[in-house]
Amino acid sequence: KNYKFAIDQSAIVDTTNSKGVILTVNDNFCQISKYNREDLIGQNHRIVNSGFHSTVFFKQMWHTILSGNVWKGEIKNKAKDGSFYWVYTTIIPFLDENQKVFQFLTIRFDITEEKNAEDALKISNDRYNLVGKATSDAIFDLDVDKNTIEWVGEGLGSIMGFESLIDKKPTNTHLKDFVHPDDLLRVMKKQVSVMMNPEEYLWNDEFRFKNAGGGYLQVHARGIIIKDQAGNGIRVIGSIQDITKQRENEIKLQELNRDLADQTKALALSNEELEQFAYVASHDLQEPLRMVTSFMAQLEKKYGDVIDEKGKRYIEYAVDGAKRMRQIILDLLDYSRVGKMDDQKEDVDLNELLKGIQILFRKQMEDKKAMLRITPMPVVHSFVAPLQQVFQNLISNALKFSKPNVPAMVSIGSEDLCEYWKFSISDNGIGMETDDLENIFIIFKQLNTKEEFPGSGIGLAVTKKIIEKQGGKIWVESQLDHGSTFYFILPK
């Protein structure tokens, strides 16, 4: 009676006949299965079968107990409400005088919590293993006391060549076996510092890591420190990332940046020298040209009565050539100075700026019977002189390339594009072939003869350079005999 009482209080107990039909159950059986006694008596254990175990599992169990042997094992059962529970089961067969089984006594202990914890641990470990397989980093588990790597993921093999160490538990491999000797002291000091600080739980460092071939990789290691109740680090779980290529690329980038800085410095010096040369050359070249022009004028004045018409024509050619050369020199000097903004940006009212340009072109507009139509223009924040030069060059071109005996019409407009201002200068002039639209911005490039339209071919090149120096863009749309529209945008 005492034994029965003790077992009933601590275990789940039932008895069955040799066919497995339930004869008796204790209160613990009813409590865990959620069936009352009347539901269970006369039934077999299929009433609590969860479907988890295979037919082979039960066949082997029955074979054991019908042979008169005790069977022990873990069984997952299903309660009346559909919930599952695990029991550690011992089945004891009772034999009659003929050594035949006539009854079974089954004693079970509830191990559901242990099994759930085991399943949770298995899921956690499976995830841990999958992370190790999925990432190219080398996942590791470091025992702090021994300072040995207890577990490593596949990254240690795929990246660093240590396939032989993967999944060995423990590896009995010391951290110092991998870290470069010159880095080891620093790495260990930093690790110990984090370990000793009760507020620190994250460790990360960068060092050289020896691969299987004996060479060293540059790696970035990071880990979570697991501490005991006293705040002492006992394990580090983390990853090692190969950043060798990244560091090599950074070094190459630094070298390229240094080269670029040297080239930029050399280019700035070259530009400064070129600008100085352009200034000196323009000054020195203008003087002899002035002399040519002056002496030709004196020659015509003093000896005009003895020079025939052909000689006078030669003098006219020489003077005109000298004037053209002087203008080219002045234009080249302007082109070389574009981008050197000595003034400060300021708010420029384009309506007022264009009024001034209209006054400048009054005589030319009267000769061409030109009409200039300007829509209300914005106030922009820019450099005054270069901006005036842009509009002046484009308006001058529109008047210059007008059709003979046709009143010139020039329209100027603007459009707000959020981050940019877009401007347009349209005319009804001679227009251009589509193939020539890009060439007109090339310095010295002229589409027409100097006899038809005098000029140096520098004006649009200067305009383009000014706009691009301020972060803008210029382009043209045109059809032959149907005029042209120049567009340009400038950042606000």
Side-chain angles (χ1 to χ4, degrees), residues 139-155:
I139 309 297
F140 66 87
D141 184 346
L142 177 70
D143 184 310
V144 172
D145 289 335
K146 302 175 187 175
N147 211 21
T148 57
I149 299 173
E150 297 295 298
W151 181 88
V152 293
E154 292 193 3

Side-chain angles (χ1 to χ4, degrees), residues 175-428:
L175 184 64
K176 68 179 177 60
D177 297 333
F178 294 121
V179 181
H180 192 286
D182 293 344
D183 297 337
L184 183 60
L185 183 59
R186 174 183 57 80
V187 171
M188 299 303 294
K189 277 185 176 180
K190 186 171 182 179
Q191 194 181 90
V192 169
S193 173
V194 176
M195 295 286 183
M196 299 298 289
N197 188 340
E199 303 298 322
E200 290 279 353
Y201 288 89
L202 296 176
W203 167 72
N204 74 86
D205 206 348
E206 192 173 313
F207 51 88
R208 286 164 290 181
F209 189 100
K210 186 166 68 174
N211 62 20
Y216 283 92
L217 304 173
Q218 194 72 26
V219 300
H220 182 206
R222 58 177 70 82
I224 300 289
I225 299 170
I226 299 173
K227 299 189 176 184
D228 59 20
Q229 291 182 344
N232 299 314
I234 55 175
R235 290 172 66 198
V236 180
I237 296 175
S239 65
I240 298 175
Q241 181 184 17
D242 180 9
I243 59 170
T244 307
K245 288 292 182 185
Q246 180 182 331
R247 290 292 173 261
E248 288 175 353
N249 290 337
E250 286 175 0
I251 292 170
K252 289 178 182 177
L253 183 60
Q254 289 171 0
E255 292 173 352
L256 287 173
N257 286 337
R258 282 195 295 270
D259 291 343
L260 183 60
D262 291 342
Q263 290 175 16
T264 303
K265 186 177 179 181
L267 183 61
L269 181 61
S270 175
N271 286 340
E272 189 177 340
E273 290 172 348
L274 283 171
E275 186 177 334
Q276 186 66 24
F277 170 78
Y279 178 78
V280 172
S282 65
H283 181 273
D284 291 349
L285 286 172
Q286 285 184 72
E287 186 58 33
L289 287 174
R290 276 194 294 268
M291 289 178 62
V292 170
T293 306
S294 177
F295 278 107
M296 285 295 170
Q298 290 296 326
L299 183 63
E300 185 177 18
K301 182 179 178 180
K302 191 170 183 179
Y303 301 104
D305 54 342
V306 296
I307 299 175
D308 62 10
E309 289 301 317
K310 184 181 287 188
K312 289 180 180 179
R313 195 160 57 250
Y314 289 162
I315 291 173
E316 184 182 340
Y317 290 159
V319 171
D320 182 64
K323 288 179 179 178
R324 285 175 182 269
M325 178 59 73
R326 184 171 183 275
Q327 188 58 49
I328 289 173
I329 291 169
L330 292 174
D331 288 342
L332 276 173
L333 185 59
D334 287 342
Y335 185 78
S336 69
R337 287 174 173 171
V338 171
K340 189 175 182 181
M341 311 295 184
D342 295 325
D343 300 329
Q344 294 295 318
K345 279 188 175 183
E346 57 183 283
D347 291 335
V348 183
D349 187 341
L350 294 182
N351 298 290
E352 295 299 320
L353 183 141
L354 289 170
K355 283 180 184 178
I357 294 176
Q358 277 184 280
I359 294 172
L360 181 66
F361 286 113
R362 181 180 295 167
K363 178 68 170 62
Q364 192 175 347
M365 289 174 65
E366 288 175 356
D367 294 342
K368 297 273 188 177
K369 296 182 173 58
M371 181 179 290
L372 191 61
R373 293 187 299 191
I374 305 172
T375 61
M377 300 294 280
V379 175
V380 300
H381 193 67
S382 186
F383 301 98
V384 180
L387 194 57
Q388 179 168 340
Q389 191 173 3
V390 166
F391 278 103
Q392 195 169 304
N393 286 353
L394 293 175
I395 294 170
S396 174
N397 258 34
L399 295 172
K400 178 179 178 181
F401 294 100
S402 60
K403 294 177 182 177
N405 304 317
V406 176
M409 296 287 295
V410 181
S411 300
I412 301 175
S414 65
E415 185 180 350
D416 189 343
L417 300 180
C418 295
E419 296 182 2
Y420 293 86
W421 286 111
K422 179 181 177 182
F423 301 99
S424 61
I425 294 91
S426 302
D427 63 61
N428 64 337

